[in-house]
Amino acid sequence: MVLSCVVLSTWGVCEGAPRDDDDATKKMLEKLPRLLRRRLTPLARTVFTAIDQCALETYDMPLVFSSTHGELAKSFNMMRQIEAGEEISPTHFSLSVHNAIAGLFAMAFNNQQQCSVIAPGMEGIAPGFIEALGLLQEGNARVLLVFYDEPLVPFYPAEPFRLSADEMALALCLSADGKGLKLHFSRRLESGNSGEQPLQLPCLVNFLNNPEQGLVLRTAYKGWCWQLDV
Amino acid sequence: MSTLEHELKQLIINALDLEDLRVEDIDDDEPLFNEGLGLDSIDALELGLAIRKKYGVRIDQEKDDVVKIFSSVSSLAAFIESERE
């Protein structure tokens, strides 16, 4: 049977770039190796804080990270530096890949679990759920699904294409069964434009706070629906 | 501690974002990598770039004994001095 229901046991969210003296961020930073803290960009701090909000005892589970743009601003700035004939920082270059935050997380917690990092494009948050469902279907007891994005730099025409929103990270610990919020995930025929992941994330958070209302997100060719499974 | 060694310690702190360290916390002969300050290979590249920008000295990994040069602040200072002569 193809799994279309998941149990959300715990979740954490971090909205906006956290400051180092925010309690939640401070608590999270204290758990990290000293030399690794300096490598955390503002977006990485947002992601790590959201994961920390899940209050998991271990990260002994596959991880799925989903981000539409990753840290595109970093790459953009490096391209500007190259254009100006300047040398670029090796540290910034090494952290400019799409899986940089996932890599930092693995290093910070010495985590050797399977890890996927996806760029879902116009499909928004649904591919992250599909990836997580696949991992649960394979027999994994739990999956940590993490969404994150930050605003695009103004150079990119984000507004007409609904590509960019405020910085946010959302971490969901999902399982096939057990205690928690039981969610049913399905595909809908109707298409539309709910925007890409950055615009969909606040909708998902709103749904998690008010799950009885359900959530429908539409993309160019189809829609996706999340409902409480009763 | 010579002026160059003092400068290099400040350069290491600034270039590598070691904000919680002070110049006094780094010994001249303390290993910079692994068991010493705990720096890694990305730090070596970053430090090489910072030294090139500040002193105009290029560390060539094909010709120079990179492990020895980066082994401590003293050895880095000695290399920069020798390249300046």
Side-chain angles (χ1 to χ4, degrees):
Chain A
M1 192 188 95
V2 176
L3 201 63
S4 61
C5 286
V6 288
V7 175
L8 174 64
S9 58
T10 177
W11 59 282
V13 64
C14 184
E15 297 176 59
R19 290 170 17 170
D20 283 359
D21 56 356
D22 287 344
D23 282 348
T25 308
K26 227 158 96 179
K27 195 171 125 252
M28 176 277 292
L29 288 171
E30 282 166 5
K31 296 175 186 171
L32 306 182
R34 183 179 62 85
L35 283 171
L36 203 72
R37 285 180 213 156
R38 66 201 163 114
R39 298 263 163 87
L40 264 61
T41 56
L43 184 58
R45 284 164 195 254
T46 305
V47 172
F48 277 45
T49 303
I51 295 173
D52 196 52
Q53 296 292 302
C54 290
L56 295 164
E57 285 176 11
T58 74
Y59 299 114
D60 188 20
M61 64 191 90
L63 294 106
V64 178
F65 289 84
S66 172
S67 178
T68 298
H69 309 301
E71 294 185 277
L72 194 55
K74 192 191 292 279
S75 302
F76 181 78
N77 288 337
M78 284 193 296
M79 285 189 281
R80 285 286 198 225
Q81 283 179 287
I82 292 167
E83 189 179 44
E86 296 168 15
E87 288 186 275
I88 56 170
S89 156
T91 309
H92 291 174
F93 180 73
S94 74
L95 294 173
S96 65
V97 290
H98 198 61
N99 61 353
I101 291 177
L104 285 172
F105 185 82
M107 287 165 70
F109 296 98
N110 194 22
N111 193 320
Q112 296 179 28
Q113 291 291 321
Q114 175 179 348
C115 179
S116 318
V117 184
I118 59 177
M122 61 199 295
E123 289 301 321
I125 60 172
F129 276 90
I130 292 168
E131 185 78 11
L133 280 165
L135 288 161
L136 294 172
Q137 180 79 29
E138 283 179 356
N140 293 288
R142 297 192 298 173
V143 173
L144 185 62
L145 173 58
V146 185
F147 298 100
Y148 62 91
D149 266 302
E150 64 182 358
L152 276 177
V153 288
F155 174 83
Y156 297 100
E159 191 56 37
F161 305 104
R162 308 198 71 198
L163 300 176
S164 183
D166 291 340
E167 182 165 328
M168 181 184 277
L170 172 67
L172 312 171
C173 183
L174 303 170
S175 54
D177 46 37
K179 283 184 186 170
L181 202 63
K182 201 169 180 192
L183 302 175
H184 184 261
F185 173 57
S186 60
R187 190 172 152 176
R188 291 283 182 92
L189 290 176
E190 65 266 35
S191 59
N193 184 5
S194 301
E196 295 198 0
Q197 178 176 296
L199 283 90
Q200 294 186 5
L201 271 184
C203 304
L204 179 57
V205 171
N206 188 45
F207 164 66
L208 295 175
N209 283 317
N210 307 281
E212 60 286 348
Q213 292 175 7
L215 172 67
V216 176
L217 294 172
R218 295 180 177 88
T219 65
Y221 304 107
K222 55 184 150 323
W224 298 99
C225 178
W226 289 258
Q227 288 170 302
L228 264 183
D229 193 65
V230 287
Chain B
M1 179 167 47
S2 73
T3 309
L4 179 56
E5 282 166 341
H6 188 280
E7 262 182 27
L8 275 173
K9 289 175 188 177
Q10 195 59 60
L11 184 74
I12 288 168
I13 290 169
N14 295 344
L16 307 182
D17 292 328
L18 298 166
E19 287 162 2
D20 52 348
L21 276 187
R22 294 169 304 160
V23 165
E24 296 75 18
D25 297 328
I26 306 173
D27 292 334
D28 291 358
D29 298 312
E30 179 183 4
L32 295 176
F33 295 85
N34 303 321
E35 77 276 19
L37 271 188
L39 304 181
D40 59 24
S41 57
I42 297 291
D43 290 319
L45 293 170
E46 196 73 50
L47 194 51
L49 177 64
I51 288 169
R52 192 157 70 238
K53 281 183 177 172
K54 186 168 174 75
Y55 301 105
V57 170
R58 182 179 287 273
I59 300 168
D60 187 335
Q61 61 175 357
E62 299 291 324
K63 289 193 304 186
D64 300 317
D65 186 349
V66 180
V67 174
K68 188 179 167 200
I69 293 167
F70 280 111
S71 64
S72 66
V73 169
S74 295
S75 58
L76 258 178
F79 175 76
I80 292 168
E81 290 286 13
S82 69
E83 289 294 299
R84 282 164 151 184
E85 284 166 4

